[in-house]
Amino acid sequence: MRRPNEDTLRHQGLRNKLIDQLRVKGIQDEQVLAAMSRVPRHFFMDAGFDELAYLDRSFPIEADQTISHPYTVAYQTQLLGVKKHEKVLEVGTGSAYQSAVLAELGVRVHTIERQRKLYDQVQAFGWLKKSYPFVKFFYGDGYAGLPKFAPFDKILITAGAPQVPIELMQQLKVGGVAVVPVGEGESQRMYRIVRASESQLEQQVLEEFQFVPMLQGKSL
Ligand code: SAH
């Protein structure tokens, strides 16, 4: 993949317009918007998409996957409500755009991807690793999570899960929050889950979105 490596004034202008659109669409968390205004989304896509990167659209990345809509990234990040220094598990690294937005918010990101090709691509992505040295990347199955690094303050799933992955929720701290798109068909409902006690999850069912499916196991 050919990566753009220049963040021009034009890119910054387009990015600011996108941030204004997100505000109009209802994103209110100024910290999330500021973080997104600092991440050059076009760096995470093929250079062929350079002119389109600041539209509120999803785009194809390798391995038949997609980089989520900016609105979806903003919505999920806002809903997660992270605080600086929190430990966050992200399932579905994909392009690593969402990981970068979380890193901009000062959290310790642990992100896991089941597609070898995408994981390898991110490993080779020098700018990203230099800019966000505290993001840890893993190749594996998000359903298994990262027991060695658990418990997490927050868990963010960026693929559509057929149902809430209950076992994974055990890796959440008591009082911790998970954001999970749930549904098997064309669209998913966003769930905000709070681990209210050792044995109790409280869930809130929110807006409808479209995600690629959360699949089990690793893929070569
Ligand atoms: N956060 C990404 C969104 C990528 S789309 C971004 O900002 O670009 C969702 C990603 O979830 C895909 O890359 C897909 O391969 C990955 N995925 C699907 N099921 C998974 C699983 N069980 N474990 C880890 N990653 C998974």
Side-chain angles (χ1 to χ4, degrees):
M1 176 161 103
R2 199 163 57 84
R3 293 259 189 204
N5 57 13
E6 225 193 328
D7 190 28
T8 63
L9 281 177
R10 175 169 160 74
H11 289 121
Q12 290 163 33
L14 291 172
R15 196 149 69 235
N16 287 335
K17 267 200 196 144
L18 171 65
I19 300 302
D20 287 341
Q21 284 169 22
L22 296 177
R23 220 177 255 120
V24 170
K25 287 183 182 175
I27 303 299
Q28 291 173 338
D29 188 327
E30 287 297 328
Q31 277 185 329
V32 171
L33 293 169
M36 289 180 70
S37 77
R38 290 193 295 270
V39 182
R41 187 174 185 245
H42 64 291
F43 281 15
F44 296 80
M45 296 160 55
D46 189 88
F49 292 121
D50 194 75
E51 282 295 306
L52 305 173
Y54 296 102
L55 297 180
D56 190 13
R57 273 192 49 186
S58 62
F59 286 98
I61 52 174
E62 295 283 337
D64 287 331
Q65 302 302 318
T66 56
I67 175 170
S68 304
H69 282 67
Y71 176 73
T72 307
V73 171
Y75 185 95
Q76 287 199 293
T77 311
Q78 174 171 281
L79 201 54
L80 203 60
V82 295
K83 294 190 198 78
K84 251 190 178 168
H85 310 304
E86 280 186 340
K87 192 160 54 151
V88 177
L89 172 67
E90 179 195 15
V91 175
T93 314
S95 68
Y97 174 69
Q98 169 77 74
S99 320
V101 171
L102 288 170
E104 279 288 346
L105 287 163
V107 306
R108 291 175 289 146
V109 184
H110 295 65
T111 182
I112 182 164
E113 173 57 55
R114 71 180 283 279
Q115 293 280 357
R116 182 91 226 184
K117 208 167 177 179
L118 288 170
Y119 170 80
D120 286 345
Q121 204 169 58
V122 165
Q123 291 311 299
F125 192 2
W127 170 82
L128 181 71
K129 298 194 88 179
K130 226 193 276 162
S131 303
Y132 303 110
F134 299 115
V135 180
K136 289 192 166 78
F137 297 95
F138 299 85
Y139 168 57
D141 180 3
Y143 280 101
L146 293 169
K148 260 202 220 160
F149 296 88
F152 295 94
D153 296 290
K154 307 276 157 72
I155 297 180
L156 174 60
I157 301 187
T158 69
Q163 57 263 317
V164 175
I166 298 292
E167 297 217 333
L168 185 58
M169 297 300 116
Q170 301 307 311
Q171 294 185 23
L172 202 54
K173 277 186 192 165
V174 171
V177 174
V179 170
V180 188
V182 180
E184 267 181 305
E186 290 276 291
S187 63
Q188 288 74 35
R189 284 266 167 194
M190 197 68 77
Y191 280 42
R192 182 178 184 272
I193 296 162
V194 179
R195 186 167 188 196
S197 69
E198 282 294 329
S199 59
Q200 214 186 352
L201 296 175
E202 282 171 3
Q203 64 190 36
Q204 217 182 339
V205 181
L206 301 156
E207 284 179 45
E208 199 171 88
F209 290 87
Q210 287 187 328
F211 283 86
V212 295
M214 182 173 173
L215 301 171
Q216 211 117 32
K218 292 181 186 176
S219 162
L220 290 178

